[in-house]
Amino acid sequence: MNSKRAIPTLHDVATTAGVSTATVSRCLNFPDRVSPRTKDKVLAAIEALGYSPNFGARAMAARRTNTIGAIIPTMENAIFARGLQAFQEELRLHGFTMLVASTSYKPEIEEEQIRSLVSRGADALLLIGHDRRPEIYDFLETQGVPALVTWAFDAASHRTSVGFDNQRAMQEMATEVIKLGHKKLALISAETANNDRALARRTGIYQAMEDAGLPPHDLQVVETSYGIVEGANAFGEIMGRGQKPTAVFCGNDVLAVGALRRAREMGISVPQDVSVIGFDDIELAQVAYPPLTTVHVPHREMGQKAARALSRLLLEGIPLEPTLLKTTLVYRNTLAPINF
Amino acid sequence: MNSKRAIPTLHDVATTAGVSTATVSRCLNFPDRVSPRTKDKVLAAIEALGYSPNFGARAMAARRTNTIGAIIPTMENAIFARGLQAFQEELRLHGFTMLVASTSYKPEIEEEQIRSLVSRGADALLLIGHDRRPEIYDFLETQGVPALVTWAFDAASHRTSVGFDNQRAMQEMATEVIKLGHKKLALISAETANNDRALARRTGIYQAMEDAGLPPHDLQVVETSYGIVEGANAFGEIMGRGQKPTAVFCGNDVLAVGALRRAREMGISVPQDVSVIGFDDIELAQVAYPPLTTVHVPHREMGQKAARALSRLLLEGIPLEPTLLKTTLVYRNTLAPINF
DNA sequence: TTTTAAAATGCAAGCCTTTACATTTCTGCA
DNA sequence: TGCAGAAATGTAAAGGCTTGCATTTTAAAA
């Protein structure tokens, strides 16, 4: 039947509409530069043929794609989802399309994905965190693809970032916790290798301890990969040891929710027996039981600002500017003073 | 400085390595068809130049992209994430790359995304649910892009699907609930317009009621959009009315978790005062408090099988085959018999 | 009407790869 | 050493679109 009907091209549309390919192309790209009558003919032909422009050819001829790539560690949880959603929505307003790729927190995969998105013609890239091989940045430079770092902020880095200060945020929280009398602290951290955010958060706690005259060395740290179950196990490990902490920091809310769950299973009351602190303030944090005390990160704002910055750069040539976003402490029900 | 250095092309690599473009191309695509010595030279040139193949040109010349597009309603929650992750992992094993796009549950955006992915050269598409305008399917046919429907199963549809029977699954659950003595039922449903899964789940409950001799008309239905907060509000609305149900079904786990939360806030005990039932069995369901009774959907299996089916089609020409996956009832702590 | 500028349209080159086919270089063996 | 066949490499066309420039049509002004 219709089996081997060839895919319609610009040329087919032009023939059907009785115009040149240039006109069809303009009709698609600059509708006002075409007379209404012609436009109608062309659109009718497009509709009749079921034509769809070939992106590759278009990208090659136009040397841009109106596409921005975002490379995130994982889509499996909400941490990046919300910010990304905002990023996409804002991008859409400016006529850009977002392409997402995920890396499972593996640097090799990240490099692969960066190359893949660049080769797919991404006009710019959104990256998470600063930490990657300089070769990658060189590559991006060679390819002329601007990249914006988010979810972290480092004024020192020459890579522009729109993000927040992971270390300071965690340090603020830790300072508050210490003020409440907690001295025996533990941290369930995401893996710090290749993850500057996790590292910065840990450093923030060390810093707060030092400032308070506590030996940083005393912080019990368990590193684990992402996931509720992983958080639960890490919590079990920590509370199973001799030296039980009175406050357990978690590198992110997902781990914290896991900790909360294991606490319940172990019959440990939060916050009476132990305080649990999260990071990120994703939806999960409010829903957890008890509702989680955590550090709020303005994910939506971050996504939106990142999108604006990139559109401005691409559309108007306005250079990227480092932007520091404020985090806030959200007190809910998992943190209590010691000996209350 | 390095400002206007042009982006390196295959041709540049060829010149640098002192070979023809054909050789460079082969070096990239069929490494064993090139002598080791030449390969070294070429790879060195590629490295030195920071070359990255132009995807568009490649797609155009090769007439395939090894890319499969997935279009999902939203990335904001875990419902699609897990299945998609599995889909991607399996795809990767077969040498394909996944491209994701999301639609915010809006049919117009979905159409746009379908066109966008097709025009980007997706060799095939993964779609959620059957329900869309026939024109879209015609378009896909014209473009020669196979599409596989998931998250739903309809043997009657001529669009092949790898999924589960939403109606039957919900019906089974409802039958059990009714067996426990529940007669006053409510449903917090996702919006059923343009969502055949939500519709099927509702129908499942109606069916179960009818089978049990209950008037389907008695089911209190509140439709709401996605989100924990929305679920909470819907629950509040239902429990604020005169006729209070003894069991509240939820179209998905996210809504259910919202319901649970609001119940707690209202001082309503689950399951003593009211039973709450979810759907999907995402991670959230286990973590909720109390752990949620729900319908388990084999998301990972679905993603994996979909990926296999598509790879087989693209690589070996084996036609897609409808595949029905089994759901199971997961009893946790939010469902209890009436008058217990 | 005629003239003139503006608007609409057409022509054709160029964007970067892959690949069928042609040609050259090896390899092993007589 | 010479030769056939295999392996490696090169040549050049094709693929679909955009866009600078040239040409034609339209509209407005005279």
Side-chain angles (χ1 to χ4, degrees):
Chain A
M1 302 284 175
N2 57 2
S3 54
K4 281 289 166 266
R5 192 152 26 40
I7 294 166
T9 70
L10 229 218
H11 184 256
D12 298 330
V13 175
T15 309
T16 305
V19 298
S20 74
T21 58
T23 300
V24 178
S25 172
R26 273 187 289 256
C27 197
L28 259 22
N29 298 299
F30 313 94
D32 358 294
R33 226 154 281 176
V34 168
S35 79
R37 202 152 40 102
T38 310
K39 200 177 346 184
D40 289 348
K41 278 192 301 185
V42 171
L43 293 180
I46 289 179
E47 181 66 22
L49 261 36
Y51 167 77
S52 175
N54 179 311
F55 179 81
R58 177 175 255 187
M60 201 154 71
R63 302 143 139 285
R64 66 184 149 59
T65 61
N66 292 328
T67 296
I68 293 183
I71 299 175
I72 58 173
T74 174
M75 316 200 245
E76 278 239 41
N77 64 65
I79 293 206
F80 300 104
R82 196 166 14 140
L84 223 54
Q85 183 76 25
F87 183 67
Q88 174 175 38
E89 283 165 13
E90 184 69 24
L91 241 32
R92 205 155 177 276
L93 260 34
H94 301 277
F96 290 97
T97 303
M98 176 180 80
L99 239 46
V100 202
S102 68
T103 69
S104 307
Y105 286 98
K106 303 219 180 82
E108 328 83 71
I109 301 193
E110 192 195 37
E111 294 195 10
E112 194 182 311
Q113 301 284 31
I114 288 178
R115 283 174 198 280
S116 162
L117 285 179
V118 166
S119 121
R120 281 194 141 76
D123 293 336
L125 248 38
L126 176 91
L127 265 18
I128 309 289
H130 287 88
D131 201 22
R132 46 186 67 78
R133 297 195 308 144
E135 283 84 347
I136 310 291
Y137 289 120
D138 291 349
F139 169 75
L140 287 172
E141 196 137 325
T142 308
Q143 295 286 332
V145 177
L148 178 60
V149 169
T150 57
W151 258 265
F153 182 84
D154 181 358
S157 166
H158 87 288
R159 303 304 311 183
T160 315
S161 53
V162 170
F164 54 96
D165 189 329
N166 284 279
Q167 177 179 338
R168 174 179 305 267
M170 191 55 124
Q171 185 175 344
E172 275 174 22
M173 178 58 97
T175 302
E176 289 305 310
V177 171
I178 294 171
K179 264 194 202 152
L180 291 176
H182 292 280
K183 290 194 167 59
K184 297 184 196 156
L185 308 178
L187 166 65
I188 302 177
S189 171
E191 281 165 15
T192 51
N194 310 308
N195 185 335
D196 49 1
R197 285 94 59 212
L199 198 61
R201 293 176 194 181
R202 190 180 71 191
T203 308
I205 302 183
Y206 283 146
Q207 195 63 50
M209 291 176 80
E210 212 169 303
D211 291 353
L214 298 174
H217 185 74
D218 283 3
L219 180 72
Q220 287 185 57
V221 180
V222 175
E223 279 198 17
T224 184
S225 55
Y226 217 96
I228 293 181
V229 173
E230 285 73 11
N233 291 340
F235 184 82
E237 188 181 322
I238 287 175
M239 299 309 284
R241 301 214 269 241
Q243 171 77 301
K244 291 192 182 36
T246 62
V248 176
F249 292 91
C250 299
N252 56 61
D253 287 350
V254 175
L255 293 174
V257 166
L260 249 29
R261 178 179 165 199
R262 180 57 49 88
R264 199 159 59 227
E265 291 165 358
M266 293 172 81
I268 298 174
S269 305
V270 176
Q272 291 79 348
D273 300 335
V274 64
S275 288
V276 173
I277 298 99
F279 199 112
D280 280 330
D281 195 22
I282 56 177
E283 205 174 25
L284 204 55
Q286 314 174 28
V287 178
Y289 185 74
L292 188 66
T293 292
T294 188
V295 177
H296 175 81
V297 175
H299 286 118
R300 293 199 64 87
E301 185 190 357
M302 186 163 60
Q304 199 175 54
K305 291 209 164 151
R308 285 213 190 116
L310 249 15
S311 319
R312 276 204 302 260
L313 171 66
L314 259 19
L315 261 22
E316 307 159 44
I318 301 174
L320 297 175
E321 242 180 59
T323 308
L324 176 59
L325 269 26
K326 276 230 302 280
T327 56
T328 49
L329 271 28
V330 181
Y331 294 99
R332 286 199 271 256
N333 310 341
T334 57
L335 170 61
I338 198 92
N339 307 322
F340 70 135
Chain B
M1 300 286 178
N2 57 2
S3 55
K4 281 289 166 266
R5 192 144 35 33
I7 294 165
T9 71
L10 230 218
H11 184 256
D12 299 330
V13 175
T15 308
T16 305
V19 300
S20 74
T21 59
T23 299
V24 178
S25 173
R26 271 187 291 256
C27 197
L28 257 23
N29 298 298
F30 312 94
D32 359 292
R33 229 154 279 175
V34 167
S35 79
R37 202 152 41 105
T38 311
K39 200 178 344 185
D40 289 348
K41 275 193 302 184
V42 172
L43 293 181
I46 289 179
E47 180 67 22
L49 261 37
Y51 166 77
S52 174
N54 178 310
F55 180 80
R58 177 175 257 185
M60 202 154 70
R63 302 149 139 281
R64 65 184 150 58
T65 61
N66 292 327
T67 295
I68 292 184
I71 299 175
I72 58 173
T74 173
M75 317 199 246
E76 277 239 42
N77 64 65
I79 293 205
F80 300 104
R82 195 165 16 139
L84 222 55
Q85 183 77 24
F87 183 67
Q88 173 175 38
E89 283 166 12
E90 184 70 24
L91 240 34
R92 207 154 177 276
L93 260 33
H94 301 278
F96 289 97
T97 302
M98 177 181 80
L99 241 45
V100 202
S102 67
T103 69
S104 307
Y105 286 98
K106 303 219 179 83
E108 327 85 72
I109 301 193
E110 192 194 35
E111 294 195 11
E112 193 183 312
Q113 300 284 30
I114 289 178
R115 285 176 197 280
S116 161
L117 285 179
V118 165
S119 115
R120 283 195 140 74
D123 293 336
L125 247 39
L126 177 89
L127 265 20
I128 309 290
H130 286 88
D131 201 23
R132 48 185 66 77
R133 298 194 310 144
E135 283 84 348
I136 310 290
Y137 288 121
D138 292 348
F139 169 76
L140 287 173
E141 197 138 322
T142 308
Q143 295 285 332
V145 177
L148 178 59
V149 169
T150 58
W151 259 263
F153 183 84
D154 180 358
S157 165
H158 87 287
R159 302 306 312 185
T160 314
S161 53
V162 170
F164 55 96
D165 189 329
N166 284 279
Q167 177 179 337
R168 175 179 302 268
M170 192 55 123
Q171 186 174 343
E172 275 175 21
M173 178 57 97
T175 302
E176 289 304 311
V177 170
I178 293 170
K179 262 196 205 152
L180 291 176
H182 292 279
K183 290 195 167 55
K184 298 183 196 158
L185 308 178
L187 167 64
I188 301 176
S189 173
E191 282 165 13
T192 52
N194 311 307
N195 185 336
D196 50 359
R197 286 93 59 213
L199 198 62
R201 292 177 195 181
R202 190 180 71 190
T203 308
I205 301 182
Y206 284 146
Q207 196 61 52
M209 292 175 80
E210 212 170 303
D211 292 353
L214 297 175
H217 184 74
D218 284 4
L219 180 71
Q220 287 184 56
V221 179
V222 175
E223 279 198 16
T224 184
S225 57
Y226 217 98
I228 293 181
V229 172
E230 286 74 11
N233 292 340
F235 184 82
E237 189 182 321
I238 287 175
M239 298 310 283
R241 302 212 270 243
Q243 171 77 303
K244 291 191 181 39
T246 61
V248 177
F249 292 92
C250 298
N252 56 62
D253 287 349
V254 175
L255 293 174
V257 166
L260 249 29
R261 178 181 163 197
R262 180 57 49 88
R264 199 160 58 227
E265 290 165 359
M266 295 172 78
I268 298 175
S269 304
V270 176
Q272 289 80 348
D273 303 334
V274 62
S275 288
V276 172
I277 299 101
F279 199 113
D280 281 331
D281 194 23
I282 58 177
E283 205 176 26
L284 204 54
Q286 314 174 28
V287 178
Y289 185 73
L292 188 67
T293 292
T294 189
V295 177
H296 176 80
V297 174
H299 286 119
R300 293 199 65 85
E301 186 190 357
M302 188 162 59
Q304 198 175 56
K305 291 209 165 150
R308 286 216 189 111
L310 250 17
S311 319
R312 275 204 302 259
L313 171 66
L314 260 19
L315 263 18
E316 307 160 43
I318 301 173
L320 296 175
E321 242 180 59
T323 307
L324 176 59
L325 268 27
K326 274 229 302 279
T327 55
T328 49
L329 273 27
V330 182
Y331 295 99
R332 287 200 269 257
N333 309 344
T334 59
L335 171 62
I338 198 95
N339 308 321
F340 70 135

